[in-house]
């Protein structure tokens, strides 16, 4: 067991589960993960392998016997009639039959309806009235000669949710984890392997949770298909409702326009998420958009003569069809939305824009087989924190720019508060950690505002910045702004576009082209998830003309590291004259456990480079830490990460552009310094 898993199981005994077990027990049951983890939490919340296997078998038996598959509904109804079964697991919804003044339940998979439900049960579990809840129910069959009577009798009903939890115990256990350990624990709880994500990518995953712990929080995520945008809202919490963007109506979402003004989804759920929200040709009810604008801004809505309030957060997720560069060149980052939602007044209510193009398409290796919280437990923790407000925590250290409007400030504060609740529930973050979250929150709102200025020219330019305790102002930029400075600052008039672009920052993105006059001394900073970076741009101008190149990097051991080395040599091969020989020497440390494999990699590189006029050699040195490139033309390139600058990608897929072209890969955060010796 990994050290982190040991710590998780020690401090949260009985409240965690091995995340790969969900797949092991799910089979063909179309049931949310939180339902399965509820059962796994009863029988598999342990690190003992024998107990886990016994628990898996028990859960499988429960699902096989009690979970209702729609294709077997007739058989299950027969078993209930013959008294062979009475306890079932199904999604149950309740409606009020106002003609008879009784509540009646509908069982989604079992295929029965008009089952009488006691008013006390509905009062205790009001979400039954808004789309249905997964429950464990005891049901009996008693036939009556009266044709109007329903033979199904609901004896008891228990929503699949945690009955109680110790929040103070949760806070105390959190103190036993470092910040990095805690973030990795949360990522594992979502179901992902934290080793597949950088720090920024982990924060993007955690932002998806803010609607569950922050009241009236409005979030949008647009990006390519297959990145798991809707997963959290459909699988992660019993307090969230995922609906198709085209299926919602004003009465369903808000309230009926007639007495007794029955409140809709926003009155019962912590988060209402709209799936498949994008699509220019989708039909949208303008009345729905108008009432949503008012609700998202004021937390209230009017219907008939009454004004009602609610606390549900809203999340909008949808797919994009074009690249970021294409959207910036031809329209804006909200380009895919239906016309009635592509409205500045509506979009101005969004607190954070998750750049879905930064999130990797889900691969099998991204899922974890390690321990994380039972989903229902963590869902209750998030719900408990909706009562708190931590937006003030940064104010002793940092002040937002006076140019930032009240609406922008509120959006930043809500995102910041939500991230603190998730990562630092004890409010014990350091000044540096608070600054990181604040800058991240500002960037998410800035992404919204920058696009609004493209859509509506009446919006004034805003300086999104904050001031440190030493009085230094820090200007926050979005990653798209750093990567595409030539097309990001669009005024709406192509002739004015270049004039409106601010001067380049001192730290230019690595994707920018080298100066026409040749390589220059300087410094480059690349942010996590930035794309458009390749070795030809980073190193080509600085190794061109060299006949001897020495690369020092202690970590050229594993296959992907050796491949990075080979791609560096490919850059050398592209810039050297065909009739010139170039020596490339590697100084690295020897792999402790499998040195023969490392030697094999280097031998293959040496053999295959020789016909191209590149003489590759290597030597091992102990205790080296520096990472740099030195050429006999007088250049020294300092590498804080060595050549390992790209995030994991699918190396075995020959038909993936990221495998063939470096500029299509997402980067890790790194810096490069060029020195003329």
């Amino acid at each position: 067991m990994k050290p982190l898993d040991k710590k998780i199981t020690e401090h949260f005994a009985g409240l965690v589960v091995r995340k790969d077990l969900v797949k092991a027990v799910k089979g063909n049951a179309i049931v949310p993960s939180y339902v399965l983890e509820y059962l796994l939490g009863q029988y598999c919340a342990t690190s003992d392998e024998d107990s886990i296997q016994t628990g898996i078998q028990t859960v499988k038996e429960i699902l096989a016997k009690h979970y209702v598959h729609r294709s077997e509904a007739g058989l299950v109804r027969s078993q209930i009639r013959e008294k062979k079964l009475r306890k079932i697991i199904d999604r149950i919804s309740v409606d009020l039959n106002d003609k008879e003044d009784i509540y009646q339940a509908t069982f989604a998979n079992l295929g029965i309806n008009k089952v009488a439900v006691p008013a006390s049960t509905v009062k205790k579990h009001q979400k039954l009235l808004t789309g249905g809840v997964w429950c464990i129910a005891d049901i009996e069959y008693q036939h009556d000669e009266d044709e109007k009577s329903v033979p199904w009798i609901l004896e008891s009903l228990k929503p699949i949710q945690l009955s109680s939890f110790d929040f103070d115990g949760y806070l105390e256990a959190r103190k036993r984890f470092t910040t990095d350990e805690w973030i990795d624990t949360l990522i594992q709880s979502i179901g992902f392997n934290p080793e597949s994500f950088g720090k920024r990518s982990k924060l993007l995953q955690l932002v998806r949770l803010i609607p569950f712990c922050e009241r009236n929080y409005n979030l949008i995520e647009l990006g390519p298909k297959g990145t798991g945008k809707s997963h959290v809202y459909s699988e992660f919490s019993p307090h969230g409702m995922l609906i198709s963007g085209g299926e919602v109506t004003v009465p369903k979402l808000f309230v009926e326009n007639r007495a007794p003004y029955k409140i809709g989804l926003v009155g019962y759920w912590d988060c209402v998420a709209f799936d498949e929200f994008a699509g220019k040709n989708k039909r949208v009810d303008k009345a729905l958009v108008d009432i949503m604008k008012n609700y998202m801004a004021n937390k209230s809505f009017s219907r008939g003569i009454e004004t009602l309030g609610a606390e549900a957060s809203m999340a909008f997720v949808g797919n994009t069809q074009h690249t970021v560069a294409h959207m910036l060149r031809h329209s804006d980052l909200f380009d895919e939305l239906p016309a009635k939602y592509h409205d500045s007044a509506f979009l101005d209510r969004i607190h954070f824009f998750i750049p879905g193009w930064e999130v990797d398409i889900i691969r099998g290796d991204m899922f974890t087989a390690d321990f994380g919280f039972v989903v229902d437990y963590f869902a209750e923790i998030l719900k408990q924190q909706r009562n708190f407000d931590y937006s003030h925590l940064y104010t002793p250290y940092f002040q937002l720019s006076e140019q930032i409007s009240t609406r922008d400030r509120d959006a930043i504060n809500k995102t910041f508060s939500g991230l603190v609740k998730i990562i630092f529930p004890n409010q014990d973050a350091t000044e540096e950690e608070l600054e990181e979250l604040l800058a991240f929150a500002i960037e998410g709102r800035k992404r919204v505002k920058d696009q609004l200025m493209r859509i509506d020219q009446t919006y004034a330019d805003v300086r999104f910045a904050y001031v440190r305790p030493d009085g230094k102002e820090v200007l926050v930029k979005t990653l798209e702004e750093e990567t595409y400075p030539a097309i990001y600052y669009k005024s709406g008039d192509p002739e004015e576009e270049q004039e409106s672009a601010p001067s380049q920052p001192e730290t230019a993105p690595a994707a920018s082209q080298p100066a026409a006059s040749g390589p220059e001394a300087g410094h480059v900073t690349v942010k996590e998830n930035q794309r458009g970076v390749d070795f030809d741009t980073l190193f080509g101008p600085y190794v061109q003309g060299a006949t001897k190149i020495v690369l020092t990097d202690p970590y050229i051991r594993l296959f992907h590291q050796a491949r990075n080395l080979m791609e560096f040599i490919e850059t050398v091969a592209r810039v050297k004259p065909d009739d010139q020989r170039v020596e490339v020497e590697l100084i690295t440390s020897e792999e402790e456990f499998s040195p023969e494999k490392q030697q094999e990699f280097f031998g293959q590189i040496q053999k295959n480079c020789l016909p191209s006029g590149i003489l590759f050699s290597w030597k091992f040195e102990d205790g080296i830490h520096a990472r740099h490139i030195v050429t006999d033309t007088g250049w020294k390139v300092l590498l804080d990460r060595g050549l390992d600058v790209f995030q994991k990608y699918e190396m075995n897929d020959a038909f993936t552009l990221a495998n063939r072209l470096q500029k299509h890969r997402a980067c890790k955060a790194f810096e490069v310094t060029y020195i003329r010796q």
Side-chain angles (χ1 to χ4, degrees):
M1 184 183 290
K2 296 179 180 178
L4 179 58
D5 285 342
K6 288 182 178 178
K7 184 175 283 192
I8 292 171
T9 55
E10 176 186 353
H11 295 291
F12 291 98
L15 299 170
V16 294
V17 68
R18 221 176 66 198
K19 289 294 173 171
D20 59 325
L21 300 183
V22 173
K23 189 179 295 184
V25 302
K26 188 166 189 175
N28 63 346
I30 306 174
V31 60
S33 295
Y34 65 81
V35 174
L36 297 177
E37 290 197 16
Y38 175 87
L39 298 173
L40 289 168
Q42 308 295 310
Y43 301 100
C44 300
T46 175
S47 58
D48 180 70
E49 189 62 33
D50 290 338
S51 298
I52 287 175
Q53 293 306 318
T54 301
I56 289 176
Q57 191 59 38
T58 301
V59 173
K60 284 183 175 180
E61 291 173 359
I62 291 173
L63 288 175
K65 186 175 181 180
H66 301 286
Y67 173 74
V68 181
H69 293 270
R70 290 186 180 179
S71 60
E72 300 175 352
L75 174 61
V76 175
R77 290 197 297 268
S78 174
Q79 289 175 334
I80 295 172
R81 179 185 183 277
E82 301 300 328
K83 312 298 183 184
K84 294 180 180 179
L85 179 70
R86 67 178 285 173
K87 191 181 294 292
I88 64 168
I89 299 174
D90 200 352
R91 186 176 181 88
I92 302 174
S93 58
V94 173
D95 283 307
L96 173 65
N97 184 333
D98 48 12
K99 291 183 180 179
E100 300 181 20
D101 192 30
I102 59 172
Y103 290 103
Q104 295 177 323
T106 297
F107 290 67
N109 290 353
L110 189 59
I112 62 175
N113 54 32
K114 297 184 179 180
V115 181
V117 181
S120 58
T121 300
V122 177
K123 186 176 181 180
K124 186 176 181 182
H125 308 293
Q126 294 193 20
K127 286 183 182 177
L128 291 166
L129 295 165
T130 60
V133 176
W134 283 93
C135 302
I136 299 174
D138 286 316
I139 190 167
E140 290 187 1
Y141 181 90
Q142 291 184 7
H143 182 69
D144 193 300
E145 296 298 332
D146 185 355
E147 294 182 359
K148 294 184 179 181
S149 69
V150 176
W152 304 102
I153 299 173
L154 183 64
E155 293 290 332
S156 67
L157 178 150
K158 179 185 178 184
I160 295 179
Q161 293 179 218
L162 196 69
S163 59
S164 63
F165 67 99
D166 178 7
F167 186 68
D168 290 335
Y170 169 81
L171 295 179
E172 187 60 34
R174 165 63 182 93
K175 296 176 183 178
R176 312 302 177 194
F177 294 75
T178 66
T179 300
D180 288 340
E181 287 175 339
W182 186 250
I183 291 175
D184 286 354
T185 299
L186 298 176
I187 295 298
Q188 289 181 187
S189 297
I190 296 172
F192 291 127
N193 178 5
E195 294 178 3
S196 298
F197 300 84
K199 180 67 173 295
R200 178 180 172 88
S201 294
K202 292 174 184 177
L203 288 179
L204 290 175
Q205 292 289 338
L206 296 182
V207 168
R208 291 172 170 174
L209 302 180
I210 296 180
F212 295 103
C213 66
E214 193 74 24
R215 291 183 178 128
N216 301 102
Y217 184 76
N218 306 318
L219 175 72
I220 193 167
E221 179 174 0
L222 302 175
K225 294 180 180 179
T227 57
K229 292 184 288 294
S230 62
H231 168 77
V232 164
Y233 309 108
S234 63
E235 302 281 327
F236 191 75
S237 174
H239 304 301
M241 169 65 76
L242 179 69
I243 55 179
S244 173
E247 293 180 356
V248 69
T249 62
V250 172
K252 181 178 180 180
L253 188 59
F254 292 105
V255 69
E256 295 278 1
N257 196 19
R258 56 187 175 84
Y261 303 114
K262 177 184 173 184
I263 197 166
L265 298 174
V266 296
Y268 297 97
W269 299 91
D270 291 349
C271 174
V272 179
F274 298 78
D275 197 11
E276 301 173 357
F277 189 65
K280 291 184 177 181
N281 298 323
K282 286 190 174 181
R283 297 178 61 183
V284 178
D285 181 3
K286 186 178 184 302
L288 175 64
V289 179
D290 290 339
I291 197 171
M292 285 178 68
K293 286 181 192 177
N294 187 59
Y295 173 72
M296 292 167 67
N298 304 316
K299 309 170 189 174
S300 63
F301 49 92
S302 299
R303 202 71 171 147
I305 61 173
E306 190 172 0
T307 298
L308 303 172
E311 298 178 352
S313 297
M314 288 192 168
F316 307 93
V317 296
N319 297 326
T320 54
Q321 306 297 320
H322 301 293
T323 64
V324 174
H326 182 279
M327 290 186 285
L328 290 175
R329 171 70 70 183
H330 299 286
S331 54
D332 56 78
L333 297 181
F334 290 116
D335 178 57
E336 298 291 343
L337 297 186
K340 288 185 174 64
Y341 286 118
H342 196 266
D343 171 74
S344 59
F346 172 79
L347 296 173
D348 200 14
R349 273 73 169 167
I350 300 293
H351 296 128
F352 194 97
F353 188 154
I354 296 180
W357 45 86
E358 289 190 39
V359 182
D360 274 346
I361 293 175
I362 303 300
R363 307 183 305 268
D365 63 284
M366 295 172 69
F367 294 104
T368 185
D370 296 315
F371 283 84
F373 294 126
V374 173
V375 164
D376 199 39
Y377 168 72
F378 191 59
E380 294 302 320
I381 294 295
L382 293 177
K383 183 177 181 63
Q384 174 77 12
Q385 294 183 98
R386 290 173 73 84
N387 298 319
F388 308 148
D389 178 13
Y390 295 154
S391 59
H392 64 282
L393 289 185
Y394 70 82
T395 55
Y397 309 101
F398 311 104
Q399 299 297 320
L400 294 179
S401 167
E402 293 183 357
Q403 287 192 23
I404 297 177
S405 68
T406 299
R407 179 166 287 175
D408 293 331
R409 193 177 297 264
D410 288 345
I412 293 166
N413 286 343
K414 288 179 78 69
T415 301
F416 175 83
S417 176
L419 288 172
V420 171
K421 292 175 184 180
I422 294 167
I423 304 173
F424 302 103
N426 289 299
Q427 308 175 62
D428 54 356
T430 65
E431 180 180 331
E432 182 180 358
E433 290 168 334
L434 292 174
E435 182 174 12
E436 181 181 23
L437 297 188
L438 179 61
F440 190 74
I442 294 173
E443 182 190 345
R445 175 57 184 179
K446 185 180 191 296
R447 184 171 291 107
V448 174
K449 201 60 173 285
D450 287 350
Q451 304 315 303
L452 288 176
M453 288 190 289
R454 286 169 167 256
I455 296 170
D456 186 342
Q457 302 300 310
T458 64
Y459 277 88
D461 191 14
V462 178
R463 187 173 181 82
F464 281 88
Y466 62 92
V467 179
R468 287 175 171 161
D470 60 4
K472 180 181 179 181
E473 184 186 62
V474 179
L475 187 65
V476 176
K477 293 179 176 289
T478 67
L479 186 55
E480 306 85 60
E481 189 175 4
E482 299 274 15
T483 307
Y484 305 106
I487 57 176
Y488 189 83
Y489 307 99
K490 184 177 178 182
S491 64
D493 183 346
E495 295 182 0
E496 297 178 4
E497 205 167 301
Q498 282 302 111
E499 296 179 11
S500 65
S503 59
Q504 291 297 307
E506 293 181 7
T507 304
S512 60
Q513 295 297 317
S517 59
E520 298 180 355
H523 183 80
V524 162
T525 298
V526 174
K527 291 184 177 181
E528 184 183 325
N529 293 340
Q530 187 169 327
R531 298 176 190 266
V533 176
D534 58 36
F535 284 179
D536 288 355
T537 303
L538 280 175
F539 308 126
Y542 299 90
V543 299
Q544 189 170 14
T547 58
K548 178 67 181 288
I549 302 168
V550 179
L551 167 64
T552 302
D553 187 336
Y555 299 106
I556 307 292
R557 303 173 180 178
L558 305 177
F559 173 77
H560 77 278
Q561 296 165 338
R563 174 163 171 153
N564 290 336
L565 170 62
M566 187 64 198
E567 290 184 338
F568 170 72
I569 294 176
E570 288 173 8
T571 291
V572 175
R574 277 191 284 270
V575 301
K576 85 173 189 64
D578 292 338
D579 60 351
Q580 180 178 316
R581 289 199 336 168
V582 177
E583 296 180 40
V584 177
E585 181 183 8
L586 170 68
I587 301 175
T588 189
S589 55
E590 187 173 24
E591 166 61 27
E592 183 178 358
F593 299 104
S594 55
E596 65 285 345
K597 197 67 178 176
Q598 184 184 27
Q599 295 268 14
E600 181 185 336
F601 294 150
F602 295 162
Q604 290 178 358
I605 293 173
Q606 185 181 61
K607 179 180 67 174
N608 293 322
C609 286
L610 192 58
S612 300
I614 296 177
L615 281 63
F616 174 69
S617 62
W618 69 93
K619 66 180 180 180
F620 298 121
E621 290 186 7
D622 295 330
I624 57 173
H625 299 286
R627 303 177 190 183
H628 50 67
I629 300 167
V630 177
T631 72
D632 61 359
T633 54
W635 282 106
K636 185 171 186 178
V637 183
L638 305 181
L639 314 168
D640 71 335
R641 275 193 177 274
L643 300 179
D644 192 14
V645 300
F646 299 112
Q647 295 183 28
K648 192 172 183 178
Y649 60 94
E650 191 53 68
M651 290 185 178
N652 296 322
D653 189 349
F655 304 104
T656 299
L657 283 175
N659 189 14
R660 315 289 296 184
L661 299 172
Q662 291 178 328
K663 69 177 184 177
H664 289 280
R665 302 173 192 168
C667 291
K668 301 175 181 177
F670 70 92
E671 298 181 10
V672 179
T673 303
Y674 305 99
I675 301 174
R676 188 73 172 177
Q677 294 183 308

